[in-house]
Amino acid sequence: MLIHLPIAQVAVDPLILVVIGMVVGFLSGLFGVGGGFLLTPLLIFYGIPAAVAVSTQANQILATSIAGVSAHWRERQVDTQLGTLMLAGGLAGSTMGVGVFSVLKAFGIVDATISILYVVFLSVIGGMMAWESINALGKSDGGDPGRRTRFRLWMRGLPIKRRFPRSGLYISIIPPIGIGIIVGMLAAILGVGGGFILAPAMVYLLGVPTRVMVGTSLFQIIFLTGYVTFLQATFNGTVDLVLATVLMIGGVIGARYGAMAGKRMKAAQLRLLLALLVLAIAGRLVYETWFQPRPEYRLEAVA
Amino acid sequence: MSRLALPLAIGLLAVAFLTGAPAAAQRQDGGDRPMMSAGIAEDRIEVQVNYSGSEIVVFTAMPQPENDTLGLAVALVGKMTPQVMIRHTAQGDQRIQFVAAPEVFVFGEEKAVTDTVTPETMVEAGLSARSAALPRIEELLSPELEAWRTALVDLKTDQGLYTTGRVQFRHFEGGLRRANIELPLNAPPGEYTVKAVAFRNGRMVGESRQTFTLARGGLDATLFDLSQQHGLVYGFVAVFLGALVGGIAAWLQRK
């Protein structure tokens, strides 16, 4: 059985889309990442035009993030203060990132820059997380990384300190905003929500407990993806609501089971799995960018 | 077959009946052979819409139906748009622009046609997908043109827009034949042509062509129009939909 997507203008099997939505929703509920870095390539691989895939995944992630965050909210594992600060930085960073994107585009180096940035960030973050979480699993009870790590020594001297009771932190507001700006910029340049960068940054740089990180990350993603969905739908008309609806059905189901699975795992196990996922995406990108043979012919959109 | 589907709603079309063979067909018939006419019956192109796709049904009246060498070939061609292709080579990218090429090319033929008609005759009859792509004048004599055209057909076939063999023929008494043309679900709205060509002994003996407009209706068209004409409303609807589905899921989780 096939259905026609009105904006993507392709015929697809809704069951396959539901399964894709479930897989990404599961990861979203488990790790607190939006899943755009996974959903977009999956949709493109299935034949959805890239512009529609990028825009519509934001709409799907909006729904799964709302569904996912509710479970964490009830367990008081969402730090709204911290999330709001990072969101403010993220929106400012996104705006700056759009400008940087335009400059890169003008110089004709946007594709190369995106690929290199992706590979560098994914590899460094994934590698560090994997190393740390393996050590944590071997040495302790598999909980959160130590609070007094050398990553966080530099934060102590910063001004404008605030207390974040939900995360158990007393830190300057500058690092969360700064992280939000950097993530927002990268999100705008790379075309993803940035959850896979934000999540480890919260744990390792700010010292947010892993379980609070998941809920807070989802909280921030709700607003960011809502913003992106609105902009893409309003100005580009590339959000396919039929595609989004089908993906959402799978996504919210997957997110629920992802959150349930997350409760049964140790924090270090969660971080190790996320690290492996991030490294797998980096590996795939390296292959696609430098090793995958390009098709001899291709069609180009006519302006 | 359900009619609750959202895919397509297409206007019905009346098709004129050709009573005589076209001039080209008459030229091909030698004086020692009997004249023969072929055409699309005066009927309509009926579009059946369901979850698995749409069909265009063409009726044709074929004289001398007892003649075993008589066969019918049909093609749905449209909409014609400019197409730009890129070829990746070791020396760099090459490009070509087809001034017009069909977005959709659905072709089907009866066995008698398969057995007797040469590819060159198919090109003359306008039933070759490769020849349907029109390059710019300066590229007409390019030795690379056939390779570009072949690649275009391959790419469009991969997209499911060019198909062969997705036409079902049925014979009725009195020479009436029906061709069910399966319309690709991703066929874009626009102007299309249905060609029906009759062949006898490998030669074209009659043809009919009719243009119609493919339009979308129902939810499909509503969403498309909303996205293109009322972007602000569409943006709010998109965010509302995401929030609504997420909210319902969150509510169900609490239950």
Side-chain angles (χ1 to χ4, degrees), chain B residues 65-136:
Chain B
E66 67 282 356
N67 189 328
D68 289 340
T69 64
L70 185 70
L72 181 69
V74 297
L76 172 70
V77 185
K79 73 181 191 185
M80 301 298 284
T81 58
Q83 307 272 337
V84 173
M85 285 185 69
I86 309 288
R87 184 184 183 187
H88 176 64
T89 68
Q91 290 76 39
D93 287 351
Q94 301 172 342
R95 57 190 284 136
I96 188 173
Q97 176 162 10
F98 290 105
V99 179
E103 290 277 0
V104 172
F105 198 102
V106 181
F107 174 73
E109 60 189 349
E110 291 184 312
K111 190 172 181 303
V113 177
T114 312
D115 293 343
T116 58
V117 180
T118 63
E120 291 75 20
T121 306
M122 283 295 182
V123 172
E124 285 177 26
L127 296 175
S128 165
R130 267 194 303 220
S131 304
L134 307 174
R136 289 189 297 194

Side-chain angles (χ1 to χ4, degrees), chain A residues 2 4 6-7 9 11 59 63 66-67 70 74 226 230 233-234 239 241-242 245 248 252 294 296-300 302, chain B residues 51 82 84-88 95 151 185-186 216 220 223-224 227 231 234-235 238-239 241-243 246 249-250 253-254:
Chain A
L2 297 175
H4 180 260
I7 308 298
Q9 297 282 313
N59 201 11
I66 290 174
S70 68
R74 286 197 301 278
F230 181 75
T234 302
V239 175
L241 291 185
V242 175
T245 304
M248 283 174 197
V252 293
R294 290 169 63 184
E296 187 179 2
Y297 292 96
R298 70 175 196 274
L299 281 166
E300 191 176 72
V302 179
Chain B
Y51 278 113
V84 173
M85 285 185 69
I86 309 288
R87 184 184 183 187
H88 176 64
R95 57 190 284 136
L185 264 179
N186 47 346
R216 299 198 181 285
D220 202 54
L223 290 175
F224 184 80
S227 72
Y234 191 70
V239 174
L241 177 70
Q253 283 175 22
R254 281 200 296 274

